Amino acid sequence: MKRIYNDINLSKRNSFGVSESAREVVEFDRAEDIVDYFRGSRPAQWYVLGAGNNTLFTRYYDGVIFTPTCSALTILAESDEWVDVRVEAAHDWDELVAWSVERGLWGMENLSAIPSSVGAAPVQNIGAYGAEAKDVITVVEYLDTEALEVRRLENRECKFAYRESIFKQELRGRAIILAVEFRLSKIAKPNLGYGDVIKEVEARGEATPKSIREAISAIRSRKLPDPKVLGNAGSFFKNPIVERAVAEHLLAQYPDMPHYDVAGDTNSVKLAAGWLIDRAGLKGYRDGSVGVHDRQALVLVNYGGATGGDVIRLADYVCTMVCDKFGVRLSPEVNIL
Ligand code: EPU
């Protein structure tokens, strides 16, 4: 089944809450409902929109937006050590994390309270507090809109990296994710190394999936605005990865600058965009209906009534200020349409 909406306003379909419209939105259940769009004359412009937590619309979208609607969760197999589940794309990410945690399974607890759908999670390999979706994903199933068939990619074929995957590269504009398979562990694997996580968990007693979920949710709600209250798309920028020499030069000037190793690349260092924006004096900065969040400078917010253009102007200003002060270029994490 599919439902088609023409010239529809998207303000309820993006967490920034910007009021742009699209020529056509197609909510679909199964791949066979939409393959006809890709036979013969394909739409000149199309996009997959999940829950809309990582997309900024800046103008009328003169194309077709596909939104999956199926959200079934199926247990595929189970051993003494793990449970394999298949979850359809429209399933809410945090409901899946809650489901996993309630069963005492390990692997997703650090990814609690991230606004996302399951289908969007592999695209930018969502991550937080020392964990990434790639740590639990085993298979991604998608409609290949050129071959017109449903295909499966194993984890290692998805080319996951920091906020990256094959779905943002070779398969961009080609794949529509239908379902994701995960392996969750029955064996305790607490991952408490990031920031204040250990302190928050210890305050709750033993480290269990449940106590970690509560700790992470508490940390997130202290720092990050709830998109239902204040429009935003989480981190607007990626944490920039720079050459080690650049990081060392900056560290000589700013010894307290947070910096992280990049796995498998000793010549690169990851910096904290939030810290750079904060130190450029922009935390809490407001320009009319948009601003830099006052508790986490990496998040741009819509105070109400902002257009996508307003957000982009603010983002450009933030980039310029950070580049002028630190010589570091920020790039958006959010998809800008
Ligand atoms: N910092 C500041 N000022 C700020 C923000 C951060 O000084 O306004 C400093 C913090 O004190 C810390 C460092 O910058 O030393 C890093 O900050 P934080 O731990 O809050 O994480 P982040 O790098 O800002 C990343 C992810 C978040 C994720 C957190 C926790 C990216 C782009 N963002 O943010 O993900 O929740 O780590 O793991 O990697 C998202 O992607 O939407 C998102 C929220």
Side-chain angles (χ1 to χ4, degrees):
M1 254 243 317
K2 62 175 177 285
R3 284 153 301 281
I4 299 174
Y5 304 88
N6 290 304
D7 280 314
I8 182 176
N9 186 283
L10 300 168
S11 57
K12 297 263 181 317
R13 293 169 187 256
N14 75 93
S15 62
F16 256 117
V18 297
S19 179
E20 301 291 346
S21 299
R23 179 157 60 76
E24 186 170 346
V25 169
V26 181
E27 292 176 354
F28 69 96
D29 294 342
R30 310 262 162 236
E32 57 262 31
D33 301 327
I34 53 167
V35 282
D36 277 351
Y37 278 86
F38 299 97
R39 286 203 178 101
S41 65
R42 304 158 55 88
Q45 217 190 158
W46 62 273
Y47 183 70
V48 186
L49 186 68
N53 288 298
N54 209 43
T55 300
L56 177 65
F57 291 99
T58 58
R59 56 173 73 90
Y60 178 75
Y61 188 80
D62 191 12
V64 185
I65 289 178
F66 294 100
T67 295
T69 49
C70 279
S71 58
L73 184 160
T74 316
I75 294 178
L76 298 173
E78 189 165 349
S79 80
D80 292 344
E81 295 181 1
W82 46 258
V83 176
D84 283 350
V85 290
R86 176 181 187 275
V87 189
E88 290 179 321
H91 201 292
D92 179 74
W93 174 265
D94 197 49
E95 281 177 21
L96 172 61
V97 178
W99 178 92
S100 167
V101 163
E102 274 159 26
R103 279 152 190 81
L105 298 169
W106 294 83
M108 289 185 165
E109 58 284 354
N110 287 42
L111 302 174
S112 289
I114 296 181
S116 179
S117 62
V118 164
V123 177
Q124 63 147 344
N125 180 26
I126 58 171
Y129 304 98
E132 290 183 322
K134 74 166 175 49
D135 306 334
V136 279
I137 291 173
T138 50
V139 170
V140 179
E141 191 181 298
Y142 67 97
L143 169 67
D144 186 308
T145 60
E146 282 173 26
L148 291 185
E149 62 184 28
V150 174
R151 292 188 168 168
R152 289 163 61 82
L153 283 185
E154 303 283 330
N155 178 303
R156 69 189 147 70
E157 298 172 299
C158 294
K159 301 191 180 169
F160 289 125
Y162 168 64
R163 297 297 194 270
E164 272 298 342
S165 76
I166 195 168
F167 304 102
K168 284 175 82 174
Q169 303 294 337
E170 295 98 301
L171 292 181
R172 188 189 195 109
R174 177 165 174 166
I176 299 180
I177 294 176
L178 303 169
V180 185
E181 293 177 14
F182 302 92
R183 175 159 290 187
L184 303 167
S185 178
K186 293 185 180 176
I187 296 167
K189 288 184 184 168
N191 176 358
L192 309 178
Y194 191 98
D196 294 343
V197 175
I198 193 155
K199 214 167 69 194
E200 284 281 342
V201 171
E202 277 172 0
R204 288 169 169 78
E206 203 193 333
T208 61
K210 188 165 176 286
S211 67
I212 296 173
R213 174 172 169 76
E214 284 171 8
I216 300 272
S217 302
I219 297 172
R220 286 186 74 93
S221 66
R222 276 204 297 271
K223 284 194 182 172
L224 295 165
D226 179 351
K228 289 191 197 88
V229 180
L230 201 57
N232 76 89
S235 303
F236 191 89
F237 301 100
K238 288 196 248 192
N239 283 332
I241 294 174
V242 300
E243 281 182 24
R244 187 164 289 278
V246 173
E248 278 167 6
H249 177 72
L250 285 169
L251 278 165
Q253 260 181 293
Y254 308 100
D256 63 332
M257 180 182 74
H259 56 286
Y260 315 96
D261 287 339
V262 177
D265 182 357
T266 50
N267 191 37
S268 296
V269 174
K270 188 156 81 174
L271 307 181
W275 184 92
L276 296 169
I277 298 167
D278 189 347
R279 283 302 190 91
L282 293 171
K283 193 174 192 162
Y285 171 82
R286 181 164 176 175
D287 178 10
S289 54
V290 290
V292 175
H293 188 49
D294 57 4
R295 279 175 281 141
Q296 164 54 293
L298 196 44
V299 178
L300 305 187
V301 295
N302 172 5
Y303 286 105
T307 64
D310 296 333
V311 181
I312 291 297
R313 267 191 302 283
L314 174 65
D316 287 346
Y317 178 67
V318 168
C319 284
T320 304
M321 294 289 278
V322 166
C323 197
D324 286 354
K325 188 168 169 76
F326 299 104
V328 174
R329 281 191 186 286
L330 298 181
S331 56
E333 199 229 61
V334 169
N335 294 317
I336 297 166
L337 292 181

